[in-house]
Amino acid sequence: MRRLAGLLVVPLLLLSTAACGDDKASDSVSKSGFPAITAGSKFGEKPTLAKGEGDPPKELKTDVISEGDGATLKNGDAIQVNYLGQAWDSTKPFDNSFDRKQPFDLTLGAGMVIQGWDKGLVGKKVGSRVELVIPPDLGYGAQGQGDIKPNATLVFVVDIVKATQIPKSAEGSEVAQDNIDLPKVGTKTDGKAPTVTIPKSDPPKKLVSNYVLESKGDVVKETDSVVVNYVGLLWKGSKAFDSTYQTGKTQTFPLAQVTLKGLKNGLVGKKVGSRVLLVIPPDQGFGDEAQQSIPAKSTLVFAVDILAKM
């Protein structure tokens, strides 16, 4: 079973968008072994980083430039950050979220970003500004990435904006599943994948988005990022093609970037904390295109726990 997250959401690589550096020299902040922040040193300001001096460190280095008073981050937390990154031997950033004016969402420890982030941010507090120096083996290694050269040491300034603790399961009132022509989804809340029983009848032609467990949480909006656990199956043959439960790691979907129309439409308007059955017809799924183990013109079935929104 292969993960399909990259097919469900517009690829938003952490290190993807080139940005131009700011050559101003003020507010210089520097510690031994860390490139100086020469402008924009305060939390929330777009920083400017000096070039690293001498040989870069061989191990991950972290420096809390200013400590916040929020919760301490742990693996499994859904977090929002702003960041700027550049190579140790450069003065030009290769990526930053400040210019986009949109924080970056991730689940810490879920392997959504390079290892240097997952390892370097654990234990830091919300509201903190952190500088990370990441060696190649915890970054992009010998292959590099886009404008990042092979075996590059990376430097990031990261502002930890927000964190949310993620429950293990959806919770809520059970909703009757009395349509014999629709799949039945299990209602256990033990954190394990719910059962999904698909009928032998023909699939519906229109999108189905039904509560299985209905919570009293906030309503999901199209502009939200949602943290979910899900299992996805083909209607035909009832074969599972994807599941977050297999890896034990949740997935964060910025809904504005979700390309699978039925997934996005089916989650918008539902309440955080709920479990939802989605039946996605081909015209709101992958259509005439086969994707990995999903044949063309497939009807897709998802059982989704909406665990949090950012």
Side-chain angles (χ1 to χ4, degrees), residues 236-249:
K236 184 177 182 180
S238 302
K239 181 180 179 181
F241 59 81
D242 195 10
S243 173
T244 59
Y245 296 95
Q246 281 204 335
T247 62
K249 297 174 179 178

Side-chain angles (χ1 to χ4, degrees), residues 16 32 62 64 72 74-75 109 118 133-134 170 215 223 249 269 304:
S16 60
S32 178
T62 65
V64 178
T72 299
K74 63 182 187 304
N75 283 330
D118 276 341
V133 180
I134 301 175
S215 77
T223 53
K249 297 174 179 178
V304 184

Side-chain angles (χ1 to χ4, degrees), residues 74-129:
K74 63 182 187 304
N75 283 330
D77 286 349
I79 68 173
Q80 275 190 341
V81 299
N82 276 311
Y83 67 90
L84 178 140
Q86 67 187 44
W88 174 271
D89 58 357
S90 175
T91 58
K92 181 180 179 181
F94 51 71
D95 193 14
N96 88 90
S97 67
F98 294 94
D99 287 345
R100 293 192 290 270
K101 301 186 186 304
Q102 176 62 52
F104 179 72
D105 298 305
L106 68 141
T107 301
L108 198 60
M112 297 172 64
V113 289
I114 54 177
Q115 291 185 60
W117 271 52
D118 276 341
K119 293 177 181 291
L121 295 179
V122 167
K124 306 304 186 289
K125 293 182 178 181
V126 175
S128 297
R129 168 164 283 197

Side-chain angles (χ1 to χ4, degrees), residues 129-241:
R129 168 164 283 197
V130 181
E131 186 171 356
L132 306 174
V133 180
I134 301 175
D137 62 320
L138 297 178
Y140 285 98
Q143 75 273 18
Q145 173 74 30
D147 294 334
I148 300 170
K149 298 176 182 177
N151 296 312
T153 295
L154 309 178
V155 183
F156 287 92
V157 176
V158 182
D159 287 354
I160 305 169
V161 177
K162 183 179 180 181
T164 303
Q165 294 186 353
I166 306 302
K168 69 177 183 179
S169 174
E171 299 279 353
S173 302
E174 292 188 21
V175 177
Q177 302 180 70
D178 49 13
N179 188 335
I180 62 173
D181 293 323
L182 292 179
K184 300 296 185 292
V185 179
T187 56
K188 290 183 178 180
T189 57
D190 55 6
K192 297 179 181 178
T195 58
V196 181
T197 304
I198 299 174
K200 301 297 184 182
S201 55
D202 291 336
K205 301 298 184 183
K206 295 183 179 181
L207 175 69
V208 173
S209 174
N210 292 344
Y211 283 116
V212 177
L213 298 173
E214 184 175 2
S215 77
K216 296 181 180 179
D218 293 338
V219 172
V220 173
K221 302 187 296 295
E222 187 174 348
T223 53
D224 289 331
S225 292
V226 292
V227 183
V228 299
N229 266 327
Y230 66 86
V231 58
L233 306 94
L234 300 174
W235 183 285
K236 184 177 182 180
S238 302
K239 181 180 179 181
F241 59 81

